[in-house]
Amino acid sequence: MNWQQLQALLWLRWRLMANQWRRAGKLNAVLMMVATVGLVALAIPLFFICLVTGLYVIPKVEPMHLLFAWDGVIVAFLFFWMIGLITELQRTEPLSITKFLHLPVSVNGAFLINYLSSLLRISLIVLLPIMLGFCLAQIYVKGAMLLLVLPSLAAFVLMITALTYQFQGWLASLMTNPRRRRTVIVVTTTVFVLVLQLPNALNFFGIWSVHKRANRSVVPTAEMTKLELSFMKGEIDEQELARRRQELLRQDVESEKKTHQEMAQQAEQTMRLANQVLPIGWLPLGVMAAAEGRPLPTILGCLGMTLIGSASLWRAYRTTIRLYQGTYSKGSRQPAPLSAKKSSTAGKPKVLLLEWRLPGFSEPVSAIALGSLRSLLRSPEAKMMLLTLVILSVIFGASLLKVPIKIPDEARPLFAIGGMLLVLFGVLQLMSNQFGFDRDGFRVFVLCAARRRDILLGKNLAFAPLTLGMALLILIVLEFVSPLRIDHFLAMIPLYISMYLLFCLLANLISMMAPLHIAPGSFKPSNPKLKTILLQMVMFMFLFPLVQVPTLLPLGIEAGARHLGWASPRLPIFLMLSLAECAVIVWIYRVVLNWQGNLLQSREQKILDAVTNRAG
């Protein structure tokens, strides 16, 4: 590849990015351009700020402190890097190699351009100048030995970016099989969520907790009391009392100082071991070794990170070539014999899920609800949503178990209501953009003869088993952890129904007023318009609390009546008011649903353009 070809490929990559911004709207293109220029401009002052700060701070610290500082910078870098990786799990080549096969361009050049394009991330643009500024400050303060840190920093960036590129390419090769695509997305996202929650889990099990200060002799209250009694009995005078107090305080200070030193030594040993074992810790370990005048660990760490990065790039290149040549396959399953299929289907015909008829609902509503439910059960979005709810429930449940204070009976329903709110937040991204996940399938609703209110009703019924089922599961777990009174427990069922119906009305409104096209297999909007995203955020942030406030009235009325002595403690006010409120909200839901059906009919063409990604 010559210089002219490289210029042409770079210009093409820039035009593709600019066109992608422009398709999302002029305002979005302007904002993205301003954000890009702002990030590039921010890198310069960050570099000088870190350089000046390092020149002032580094002379006052020891090499071990440099290890801690670099560990903190790398942890922050990896945290933001993983967030960017989650948003785009599968690697999408900006310049497809198949489109360059008829041109005099080498595959190596196209692969290199795609790899360099993957480096344009916010975490790298913002944090790389910080690390570079600290490197130069260390070189100026500690001497020429720290020059070895610069190639180590380059090797670290190569290792992280190459491993990420290889991982995304491996996912892309797996996702060529449509049956495997959904499983890969769900498993990968789950692993990342669990990794991010690993520190919280370790803290819950006490691994991160500080060791008990068994060796620290806290000021013994019994001895101080004994001294006071001796002074009151006249056995010691005031001077002796003061002397012994000072002696006890001195012993306590020395013991505390000794405990802190032991904890610092243990933390130092743990950090050294972690940095020696984990490749991401070789850069901080090399910085500390170079500051101590030992160049060998720095050189070995640099060579190790370079070797890992080079091997990852080579594997990514081989995977890309095999993927485009169509040779990346693990074999195929042999189809089952026809006789086995016939024997398995013989017998009484089984009624399929889509052929069921929901009692009390019309045939179109049943068909839409069951079809949407089947789509949800098969979609990776719903699986990720359920896994997120399970993880959040475990985290909040573990936090509740660690609360040593006994929760009053009157306050326990608030935890149950909080569990339902947690579930509603979990399904927010799906239900507030119900038609966006239909994509081209929304044409079926546009062309069908069903009433538009029946479409909305079917959509809401499809989410009901997942939402209400998860809420009831949390309620049952909460009943074992912190039992509710029997009338409060029964009152939660109609209260959950009321909360869900009000949430459905709000979700229907947001879905119709601010639809977004969602990339298949993810939660990521394709070319989102800024005004649509802002409209979704404003509507939910302001309307969701207002919509859910009425559901708190039964519990508030019961608490107020009992506090003022107007009602007997045995009277189930909360249960009766929850049942009455549920009946009223069901009637309101039916009335408002008719109005929303008319709104859907008037906006279905705009929704179709948005969810099929044809809106300009």
Side-chain angles (χ1 to χ4, degrees):
M1 177 181 293
N2 55 36
W3 177 246
Q4 292 181 348
Q5 291 176 343
L6 181 61
Q7 283 182 319
L9 290 176
L10 290 176
W11 176 85
L12 179 60
R13 178 68 184 95
W14 165 253
R15 291 305 306 169
L16 290 174
M17 184 183 299
N19 291 338
Q20 184 179 6
W21 293 347
R22 191 176 293 109
R23 283 197 301 268
K26 295 182 179 180
L27 179 60
N28 182 79
V30 173
L31 292 178
M32 292 299 296
M33 185 67 68
V34 171
T36 303
V37 175
L39 287 175
V40 175
L42 182 64
I44 300 176
L46 281 177
F47 170 77
F48 286 104
I49 290 173
C50 295
L51 178 62
V52 174
T53 304
L55 293 176
Y56 176 76
V57 175
I58 292 176
K60 304 178 181 180
V61 300
E62 298 179 358
M64 192 65 194
H65 298 155
L66 294 178
L67 176 70
F68 290 151
W70 274 99
D71 282 337
V73 173
I74 287 178
V75 167
F77 171 77
L78 293 178
F79 175 76
F80 291 106
W81 187 266
M82 288 179 64
I83 292 177
L85 181 60
I86 291 176
T87 58
E88 189 178 359
L89 286 178
Q90 180 183 357
R91 189 182 76 204
T92 55
E93 305 287 5
L95 303 177
S96 178
I97 295 180
T98 56
K99 297 180 181 179
F100 287 87
L101 295 179
H102 63 285
L103 298 176
V105 179
S106 65
V107 177
N108 300 341
F111 175 81
L112 180 62
I113 292 297
N114 287 327
Y115 167 68
L116 295 178
S117 300
S118 67
L119 303 181
L120 299 178
R121 297 193 181 186
I122 297 177
S123 55
L124 194 62
I125 295 174
V126 174
L127 293 177
L128 184 59
I130 295 177
M131 294 187 285
L132 186 60
F134 277 128
C135 284
L136 296 181
Q138 291 172 161
I139 294 172
Y140 181 82
V141 174
K142 298 292 184 179
M145 182 68 71
L146 270 298
L147 284 172
L148 296 173
V149 178
L150 290 178
S152 296
L153 178 60
F156 172 79
V157 174
L158 173 64
M159 179 182 67
I160 296 299
T161 55
L163 285 173
T164 303
Y165 199 69
Q166 180 191 5
F167 176 71
Q168 290 178 311
W170 175 71
L171 286 183
S173 62
L174 289 180
M175 292 181 186
T176 54
N177 186 345
R179 295 182 179 180
R180 216 182 306 171
R181 176 185 176 88
R182 297 172 178 174
T183 304
V184 169
I185 293 176
V186 174
V187 171
T188 306
T189 306
T190 305
V191 170
F192 274 114
V193 173
L194 292 177
V195 168
L196 292 177
Q197 294 298 329
L198 183 61
N200 190 22
L202 295 177
N203 182 47
F204 172 73
F205 289 106
I207 297 179
W208 294 123
S209 59
V210 181
H211 291 284
K212 295 181 180 180
R213 302 180 178 182
N215 296 327
R216 177 186 173 186
S217 59
V218 185
V219 179
T221 307
E223 294 187 12
M224 293 295 292
T225 305
K226 185 178 179 180
L227 286 177
E228 294 289 345
L229 292 175
S230 300
F231 175 73
M232 294 175 62
K233 293 178 180 180
E235 297 177 358
I236 58 175
D237 56 6
E238 186 175 354
Q239 294 181 353
E240 183 67 15
L241 176 64
R243 187 186 67 80
R244 293 189 180 182
R245 281 180 175 176
Q246 291 296 329
E247 182 67 20
L248 288 175
L249 291 175
R250 184 183 62 80
Q251 293 178 0
D252 178 66
V253 171
E254 291 179 355
S255 178
E256 183 177 3
K257 184 178 179 180
K258 182 179 179 180
T259 302
H260 287 168
Q261 291 177 353
E262 293 177 355
M263 293 173 59
Q265 292 177 358
Q266 185 177 4
E268 180 178 344
Q269 294 175 358
T270 304
M271 293 301 295
R272 283 179 179 269
L273 180 61
N275 281 272
Q276 291 174 359
V277 173
L278 300 176
I280 58 175
W282 292 348
L283 174 59
L285 190 65
V287 173
M288 184 190 67
E292 293 174 346
R294 298 183 293 112
L296 184 59
T298 308
I299 296 174
L300 293 178
C302 180
L303 293 177
M305 290 185 290
T306 304
L307 181 62
I308 293 175
S310 302
S312 298
L313 276 183
W314 172 251
R315 290 293 302 171
Y317 174 75
R318 296 301 303 169
T319 301
T320 302
I321 297 301
R322 294 173 61 189
L323 183 64
Y324 282 100
Q325 289 178 347
T327 60
Y328 195 97
S329 61
K330 300 295 185 180
S332 57
R333 296 181 178 179
Q334 297 295 332
L338 185 61
S339 58
K341 293 182 179 180
K342 290 182 178 180
S343 60
S344 62
T345 57
K348 185 178 180 181
K350 182 173 61 175
V351 179
L352 301 178
L353 174 64
L354 299 182
E355 298 177 353
W356 291 2
R357 178 71 177 272
L358 298 180
F361 296 97
S362 62
E363 184 177 355
V365 173
S366 301
I368 294 172
L370 296 174
S372 300
L373 179 60
R374 172 56 63 89
S375 177
L376 284 174
L377 295 178
R378 290 182 173 180
S379 66
E381 296 89 356
K383 296 177 182 178
M384 286 188 285
M385 175 194 69
L386 291 176
L387 288 174
T388 303
L389 289 176
V390 171
I391 293 173
L392 290 177
S393 302
V394 171
I395 293 173
F396 283 101
S399 303
L400 185 61
L401 286 174
K402 295 188 69 175
V403 176
I405 303 175
K406 184 178 180 181
I407 304 173
D409 293 342
E410 294 77 10
R412 293 181 182 181
L414 294 177
F415 287 91
I417 295 175
M420 182 61 181
L421 292 176
L422 178 66
V423 175
L424 294 181
F425 273 110
V427 300
L428 165 65
Q429 197 168 0
L430 279 174
M431 290 197 63
S432 62
N433 190 29
Q434 301 176 56
F435 306 116
F437 293 92
D438 291 333
R439 304 177 184 91
D440 291 341
F442 184 73
R443 291 188 175 92
V444 176
F445 296 127
V446 175
L447 299 176
C448 72
R451 293 187 301 173
R452 296 318 184 231
R453 70 174 302 275
D454 292 344
I455 296 176
L456 296 175
L457 179 58
K459 285 283 189 180
N460 297 158
L461 289 175
F463 282 94
L466 301 178
T467 306
L468 295 178
M470 192 66 194
L472 290 176
L473 180 61
I474 294 177
L475 179 62
I476 293 173
V477 174
L478 184 62
E479 183 68 17
F480 285 99
V481 176
S482 180
L484 283 73
R485 288 170 33 185
I486 184 62
D487 58 326
H488 286 176
F489 180 82
L490 296 177
M492 285 298 134
I493 299 177
L495 183 66
Y496 280 0
I497 296 176
S498 302
M499 296 176 69
Y500 178 70
L501 292 179
L502 292 177
F503 181 79
C504 287
L505 294 178
L506 177 61
N508 293 340
L509 182 62
I510 299 177
S511 300
M512 291 183 291
M513 300 302 298
L516 288 170
H517 176 266
I518 303 298
S522 69
F523 285 113
K524 185 178 180 181
S526 300
N527 302 323
K529 291 187 177 180
L530 181 61
K531 61 180 181 180
T532 304
I533 296 178
L534 290 178
L535 182 60
Q536 275 197 352
M537 294 177 59
V538 170
M539 291 180 68
F540 186 81
M541 292 176 60
F542 288 97
L543 294 182
F544 179 73
L546 296 178
V547 167
Q548 296 297 327
V549 163
T551 60
L552 301 176
L553 291 178
L555 183 61
I557 293 174
E558 182 188 64
R562 291 180 178 176
H563 179 72
L564 297 175
W566 294 351
S568 172
R570 297 183 178 179
L571 186 63
I573 300 177
F574 183 27
L575 176 58
M576 294 187 297
L577 292 180
S578 296
L579 291 172
E581 183 185 49
C582 182
V584 173
I585 289 178
V586 168
W587 178 80
I588 294 176
Y589 175 80
R590 298 182 62 180
V591 173
V592 176
L593 197 63
N594 292 326
W595 171 78
Q596 288 186 343
N598 297 331
L599 180 63
L600 175 61
Q601 186 172 6
S602 63
R603 289 189 54 84
E604 60 184 13
Q605 191 60 46
K606 295 181 179 180
I607 298 174
L608 179 62
D609 294 338
V611 300
T612 56
N613 203 20
R614 292 193 292 123

